[in-house]
Amino acid sequence: MKSVPTKTLEKERRANSRERIPAKNGNGLPAYQRIQNSIRKRIESGQLHPGDAVASERDLAKIHQVSLMTARHALASLEREGVVERRRGIGTFVAAPKIHFNKLMSYTEQMASRSLTAASKVLFAKVIDNEPEAAARLSLPPTSSVIKLERLRHAASEAFALETCYLSATEFPGLLEAPLGRESLFGILERNYKLELGYADEEVDATAADPRIAELLNVPRRDPLLRIRQVIYSTKGQAVMYVLGFYRSDRHNLVIRRFR
Amino acid sequence: MKSVPTKTLEKERRANSRERIPAKNGNGLPAYQRIQNSIRKRIESGQLHPGDAVASERDLAKIHQVSLMTARHALASLEREGVVERRRGIGTFVAAPKIHFNKLMSYTEQMASRSLTAASKVLFAKVIDNEPEAAARLSLPPTSSVIKLERLRHAASEAFALETCYLSATEFPGLLEAPLGRESLFGILERNYKLELGYADEEVDATAADPRIAELLNVPRRDPLLRIRQVIYSTKGQAVMYVLGFYRSDRHNLVIRRFR
DNA sequence: AAGTGGTCTAGACCACGGC
DNA sequence: CCGTGGTCTAGACCACTTC
């Protein structure tokens, strides 16, 4: 008696499968991702604003012709991403506009996020082999050839920061021929070298401007500066770039969020 | 015809429910959380080490007498927490010990994590009502009564930092009577006031030591200092405490991790 | 009472990786 | 081939909130 209903269910499932195949080919994505995308689009296009209610699990299930669990999965993982907020017994709502805390962004991207255009002047760009500290930060032998790229960052004709980047010369051949003055280094690495940047560990402290930096940044000598040493890793955990930066403290403050 | 199998299923479910009630009373938690706890315990107790395989979804389902989806939910959300790592076609494995980056820790906790004992001297501890900036950071009216607590942090008889905390006086009555010189403020808030600290937003910049701070921290005037302004929120998102800190740059560096 | 999210079942098929 | 995780169904009951 048990095997009969089992077989029946199996048949029904297969029928459902046949029906679902074209739906899947709608864009080749799993159903829950299609639902997520449809919600994301409505948020991005301004049809849904922060605080607005999103369709309930049951409504989404009906609309997209999926089971409740699938609709639920879509909403639950949107919540995990911080796109929506769910409240039991009430509903699901578009989350407040995300503030991107602790995001690894290039100088260009940071400026752009504040509606400013970044500019930079290349002061030095050569391959050298006597930078043991930088080599060590990149987990390379002490006398490895490294690309050293020193840039003065400015916006609105005012110098903001001095950044020196170090990268393995063997890993990034031809990098010095790229338009470093114009284009974002992050962009070049990601596009031309197919590199996926993952995360960065930063050490932050305060230091006093030495004569050269004072002149470059146009501040008095011994003025306090924010110093950031940053090792940037690929998604695979490989050290890709070491950046030593000095930032005018009257023009920068670092914002971070910590969690308990 | 449809209603008959439906009723049958319903009966079966009810029977299962009756069986499940004692199981649920095992500790009152949902099944997926019980599974998670059993895995967590085996990791904490050293039965499972980083890299070790965890029981598969199917095994867990059998062991804990739950459906596959429930076992799956347990593993999926353990992965989200970073406790385990899942690899399709291979299995689920205990994740490498987490490095706690960007963790909100009290001074006492930070010192303890480096095997140092924190000490602090209370320089000022009173309720005042003319601190509009602090009140604003706490989302209070400008002339609200706030507790102002100024402490000199030191270890090994050397002054490290000057921290000034502000808290709502009405929210934390009697706080000034607590043993602030000895005990961790975080600990007092969490224990005595049943407060769950959630996260903190920090603004970091560099500044020069003014005469008073220079003397307190025993550094030359105009020496560069790390200045951190920190608003600490409860898990519910309520601003609980505002901390303004000055840190000797030769004794501190802030370490953070950013993600792309 | 009606609607919402949270938990759960007992199965199914798929894509992937190692043997 | 077989075991793994990933997706999915068509329901169910519960806890919670609002009306």
Side-chain angles (χ1 to χ4, degrees):
Chain A
M1 275 194 75
K2 234 187 174 180
S3 63
V4 175
T6 303
K7 273 194 177 175
T8 307
L9 281 174
E10 223 171 302
K11 275 188 184 175
E12 284 172 1
R13 269 302 283 107
R14 288 194 182 154
N16 288 339
S17 287
R18 286 196 200 99
E19 285 164 20
R20 254 178 51 236
I21 288 167
K24 241 190 157 180
N25 291 351
N27 50 23
L29 288 177
Y32 79 96
Q33 289 183 24
R34 292 201 323 265
I35 299 174
Q36 292 180 333
N37 288 337
S38 86
I39 293 172
R40 268 192 270 260
K41 268 184 194 164
R42 290 178 51 190
I43 295 173
E44 282 161 22
S45 70
Q47 287 176 55
L48 282 175
H49 299 94
D52 286 0
V54 174
S56 71
E57 300 179 349
R58 286 157 181 84
D59 288 351
L60 285 174
K62 278 174 204 157
I63 294 167
H64 292 89
Q65 292 279 288
V66 296
S67 80
L68 208 50
M69 278 298 283
T70 301
R72 170 170 184 69
H73 185 189
L75 288 182
S77 61
L78 273 186
E79 180 182 41
R80 183 164 50 92
E81 289 176 36
V83 176
V84 300
E85 197 177 319
R86 314 193 75 194
R87 269 172 280 173
R88 173 191 291 223
I90 305 183
T92 300
F93 305 87
V94 178
K98 321 186 235 186
I99 304 163
H100 288 290
F101 276 95
N102 305 347
K103 276 288 166 194
L104 174 57
M105 293 197 293
S106 71
Y107 188 82
T108 311
E109 288 164 344
Q110 285 182 54
M111 290 294 124
S113 76
R114 287 188 275 170
S115 312
L116 296 172
T117 50
S120 57
K121 192 166 110 187
V122 176
L123 300 183
F124 184 94
K126 279 199 177 68
V127 173
I128 52 180
D129 57 11
N130 58 344
E131 284 281 357
E133 195 206 332
R137 299 255 188 185
L138 294 172
S139 306
L140 297 173
T143 57
S144 302
S145 289
V146 293
I147 296 165
K148 176 177 177 177
L149 174 62
E150 192 180 44
R151 291 180 294 179
L152 192 62
R153 306 297 212 160
H154 50 91
S157 77
E158 193 175 33
F160 272 39
L162 177 69
E163 282 186 353
T164 311
C165 307
Y166 301 87
L167 304 94
S168 162
T170 55
E171 288 283 339
F172 304 102
L175 180 62
L176 291 176
E177 278 69 56
L180 297 164
R182 284 204 328 277
E183 250 194 296
S184 161
L185 181 54
F186 272 38
I188 292 170
L189 291 176
E190 289 176 333
R191 257 198 321 282
N192 301 7
Y193 294 87
K194 302 289 176 238
L195 193 63
E196 274 186 69
L197 267 21
Y199 61 94
D201 284 338
E202 301 187 3
E203 284 176 50
V204 182
D205 64 1
T207 189
D210 67 25
R212 175 169 180 258
I213 295 179
E215 195 185 330
L216 287 169
L217 296 182
N218 192 30
V219 294
R221 288 185 192 184
R222 302 204 2 88
D223 226 37
L225 298 175
L226 212 52
R227 171 171 55 189
I228 305 181
R229 298 179 177 94
Q230 191 180 42
V231 180
I232 302 177
Y233 298 86
S234 71
T235 46
K236 290 169 210 138
Q238 167 114 50
V240 168
M241 176 160 58
Y242 169 53
V243 186
L244 170 61
F246 295 90
Y247 303 86
R248 280 179 57 168
S249 70
D250 58 343
R251 287 283 179 278
H252 292 82
N253 68 354
L254 188 70
V255 178
I256 63 178
R257 177 167 282 191
R258 313 192 97 99
F259 298 91
R260 187 132 178 95
Chain B
M1 273 197 71
K2 232 187 173 181
S3 65
V4 175
T6 303
K7 272 194 176 172
T8 306
L9 280 174
E10 219 172 305
K11 274 187 184 174
E12 283 173 2
R13 270 299 286 105
R14 289 195 181 154
N16 287 341
S17 288
R18 284 196 201 99
E19 284 165 19
R20 255 179 49 236
I21 287 169
K24 241 191 158 181
N25 290 352
N27 49 24
L29 288 177
Y32 79 95
Q33 289 183 24
R34 290 199 326 262
I35 299 174
Q36 292 181 333
N37 288 338
S38 86
I39 293 171
R40 266 193 270 261
K41 268 184 195 165
R42 288 179 51 190
I43 295 173
E44 283 161 22
S45 71
Q47 287 177 54
L48 282 176
H49 299 93
D52 285 359
V54 174
S56 71
E57 299 179 349
R58 287 156 180 85
D59 287 350
L60 284 174
K62 277 173 207 156
I63 295 167
H64 292 88
Q65 293 280 287
V66 296
S67 81
L68 208 50
M69 279 298 282
T70 301
R72 171 171 183 69
H73 184 188
L75 289 182
S77 61
L78 272 186
E79 180 181 42
R80 180 166 52 91
E81 289 176 39
V83 177
V84 300
E85 198 176 319
R86 313 191 75 193
R87 270 172 278 172
R88 176 193 290 225
I90 306 182
T92 301
F93 304 87
V94 179
K98 313 189 239 186
I99 304 163
H100 288 288
F101 275 96
N102 305 348
K103 274 288 164 194
L104 173 57
M105 294 197 294
S106 72
Y107 187 82
T108 310
E109 288 164 345
Q110 286 183 54
M111 289 294 124
S113 76
R114 286 188 277 169
S115 311
L116 296 172
T117 51
S120 56
K121 193 167 106 184
V122 177
L123 300 182
F124 185 94
K126 278 199 178 68
V127 174
I128 52 180
D129 56 9
N130 59 341
E131 285 281 357
E133 194 207 331
R137 300 252 188 186
L138 293 172
S139 307
L140 297 173
T143 57
S144 301
S145 288
V146 294
I147 296 166
K148 176 177 176 178
L149 175 63
E150 192 181 44
R151 292 181 292 179
L152 192 62
R153 307 296 212 163
H154 50 91
S157 75
E158 192 175 31
F160 271 38
L162 176 68
E163 282 187 351
T164 311
C165 307
Y166 300 87
L167 303 96
S168 162
T170 57
E171 288 282 339
F172 304 102
L175 180 61
L176 291 176
E177 278 69 58
L180 297 164
R182 287 204 328 275
E183 250 194 292
S184 161
L185 181 53
F186 272 36
I188 292 170
L189 291 177
E190 290 176 334
R191 257 198 320 282
N192 302 5
Y193 294 87
K194 303 292 177 230
L195 192 64
E196 274 187 69
L197 267 22
Y199 61 95
D201 285 339
E202 302 187 4
E203 285 175 49
V204 183
D205 64 1
T207 189
D210 67 25
R212 175 169 181 260
I213 295 178
E215 195 186 331
L216 287 169
L217 296 182
N218 193 30
V219 295
R221 288 186 192 186
R222 299 201 8 86
D223 225 38
L225 298 177
L226 211 52
R227 172 170 58 188
I228 305 182
R229 298 180 179 92
Q230 191 180 42
V231 181
I232 302 178
Y233 297 86
S234 71
T235 46
K236 290 169 209 140
Q238 166 113 49
V240 168
M241 176 160 60
Y242 169 53
V243 186
L244 169 62
F246 295 91
Y247 303 85
R248 283 179 57 167
S249 71
D250 56 343
R251 287 284 179 278
H252 292 83
N253 68 352
L254 188 69
V255 177
I256 64 179
R257 176 167 285 189
R258 311 191 98 98
F259 297 90
R260 187 135 179 92

